[in-house]
């Protein structure tokens, strides 16, 4: 069994808590320590026993909170050497770093993580599959387009956490400067609702229990549009669909191996 929650999702800060058995880890932390603790408390969770912080890439919305957290709670940070070298200065020193290479598998507590490269305008961006107890959680965020590797790695996941950043029509009317719009739409930017729809088409299978759309832009997208594009693929597939928000945590999702179905723990 794996349980997880997106504590915050979007360009103002990303963090995902993953727990299972006696293990607990964070994937990215762009939230302040106060926000992180408030949101964990809202889920009946805490930082106690946190075994590691695993980093996808060095953008502030994914790492702004990792320095304080790592130093104060003496938690190791798992990241590639290239990402470590490009962390924003404000993150400060990270005493306990464990470097992996993009494509490596490694374990943190009871979890097995498989990293894989994604295309994004960062030094060495990766995403992860998290496995435990026969459960497979597949995540893909901050990527400009979907490669064969991404599709291959995500296949067979019991839960999929996928970027659905912008609506292609809305971004054409965006108030963002043109360079930023170009960057978002580029092959090293972010996935649109349509990109996510196409990816999901490849990944639907009988044992998929849950789909979470993430990193939804507050300027260039709406929850309803992201949901509609995913539903357009899922139709009558029994998997649950959830759209993660910027300012509040999702419920604590639970995925179980075999025939058990995902449910939202109360
Ligand atoms: Zn991001
Ligand atoms: Zn990014």
């Amino acid at each position: 069994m794996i349980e997880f929650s997106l504590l915050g999702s979007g360009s103002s800060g990303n963090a995902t808590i993953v727990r299972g058995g006696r293990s607990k880890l964070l994937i990215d932390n762009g939230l302040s320590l106060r926000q992180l603790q408030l949101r964990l408390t809202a889920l009946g969770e805490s930082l106690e026993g946190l075994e590691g912080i695993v980093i996808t890439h060095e953008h502030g919305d994914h790492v702004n909170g990792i320095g304080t957290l790592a130093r104060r709670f003496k938690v190791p940070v798992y990241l590639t050497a290239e990402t470590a070298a490009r962390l924003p200065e404000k993150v400060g020193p990270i005493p306990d770093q464990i470097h992996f290479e993009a494509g490596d598998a490694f374990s943190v507590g009871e979890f097995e993580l498989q990293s894989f490269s994604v295309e994004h305008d960062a030094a060495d961006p990766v995403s992860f599959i998290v496995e435990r107890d026969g459960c497979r959680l597949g995540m893909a965020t901050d990527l400009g387009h979907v490669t064969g590797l991404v599709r291959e790695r995500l296949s067979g996941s019991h839960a999929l956490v996928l970027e659905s950043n912008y609506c292609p029509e809305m971004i054409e009317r965006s108030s963002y400067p043109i360079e930023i719009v170009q960057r978002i739409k580029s092959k090293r930017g972010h996935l649109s609702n349509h990109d996510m729809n196409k990816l999901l088409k490849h990944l639907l299978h009988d044992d998929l229990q849950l789909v979470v759309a993430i990193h939804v832009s507050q300027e260039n997208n709406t929850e309803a549009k992201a949901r509609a594009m995913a539903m357009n693929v899922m139709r009558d597939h029994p998997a649950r669909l959830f759209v993660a928000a910027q300012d509040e945590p999702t419920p604590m999702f639970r995925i179980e191996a075999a025939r058990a179905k995902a449910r939202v723990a109360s």
Side-chain angles (χ1 to χ4, degrees):
M1 182 259 287
I2 293 179
E3 292 178 305
F4 68 98
S5 167
L6 284 292
L7 301 171
S9 180
S11 56
S12 302
N14 296 275
T16 302
I17 181 93
V18 185
R19 71 183 187 193
R22 279 197 292 265
S23 289
K24 200 187 291 184
L25 63 82
L26 268 182
I27 298 177
D28 291 336
N29 180 32
L31 303 174
S32 67
L33 186 55
R34 182 181 149 72
Q35 274 302 320
L36 185 68
Q37 285 177 313
L38 277 173
R39 295 181 196 196
L40 285 168
T41 303
L43 294 168
E45 195 36 276
S46 73
L47 290 167
E48 202 177 317
L50 184 67
E51 285 177 279
I53 311 164
V54 184
I55 306 300
T56 58
H57 66 296
E58 73 277 15
H59 289 161
D61 57 321
H62 297 259
V63 300
N64 279 344
I66 65 171
T68 315
L69 181 60
R71 289 188 296 275
R72 196 166 307 173
F73 291 84
K74 299 191 168 37
V75 183
V77 175
Y78 296 76
L79 73 182
T80 74
E82 291 88 340
T83 297
R86 298 275 289 274
L87 287 174
E89 214 162 298
K90 67 192 260 195
V91 168
I94 296 182
D96 190 1
Q97 298 189 19
I98 298 170
H99 291 174
F100 63 87
E101 292 202 18
D104 280 356
F106 53 94
S107 47
V108 180
E110 296 180 23
F111 297 108
E112 278 297 318
L113 283 92
Q114 170 72 59
S115 66
F116 55 95
S117 287
V118 295
E119 300 277 331
H120 188 54
D121 57 352
D124 189 19
V126 295
S127 211
F128 300 101
I129 302 293
V130 183
E131 289 185 299
R132 177 186 172 271
D133 199 20
C135 291
R136 183 175 173 91
L137 162 62
M139 306 185 74
T141 190
D142 292 56
L143 66 169
H145 76 286
V146 174
T147 58
L149 177 70
V150 169
R151 271 197 297 270
E152 182 210 311
R153 286 288 183 256
L154 293 174
S155 66
S157 297
H158 298 106
L160 286 167
V161 176
L162 303 177
E163 172 163 54
S164 196
N165 181 259
Y166 66 93
C167 161
E169 291 84 43
M170 281 181 78
I171 203 167
E172 296 307 328
R173 306 190 298 271
S174 175
S175 63
Y176 285 3
I178 186 74
E179 317 81 70
I180 308 247
V181 168
Q182 292 301 343
R183 198 211 123 223
I184 294 170
K185 287 166 60 184
S186 79
K187 285 196 139 194
R188 303 185 73 219
H190 293 273
L191 290 191
S192 71
N193 297 343
H194 292 63
D195 298 328
M196 194 271 213
N197 167 299
K198 275 203 296 199
L199 173 58
L200 193 52
K201 244 177 227 163
H202 282 274
L203 297 175
L204 283 185
H205 66 104
D206 287 351
D207 290 331
L208 178 65
Q209 299 167 20
L210 172 70
V211 175
V212 188
I214 61 163
H215 219 298
V216 174
S217 170
Q218 293 178 294
E219 165 76 21
N220 302 316
N221 206 355
T222 64
E223 182 195 329
K225 283 179 189 288
R227 176 180 295 279
M229 279 307 279
M231 275 316 292
N232 173 282
V233 178
M234 293 172 68
R235 296 172 194 267
D236 45 13
H237 191 287
R240 291 179 52 107
L241 171 65
F242 207 93
V243 181
Q246 178 65 79
D247 295 324
E248 57 179 37
T250 67
M252 188 65 85
F253 301 115
R254 175 181 300 178
I255 51 172
E256 296 182 52
R259 308 310 302 172
K261 293 296 175 206
R263 68 181 186 83
V264 178
S266 53

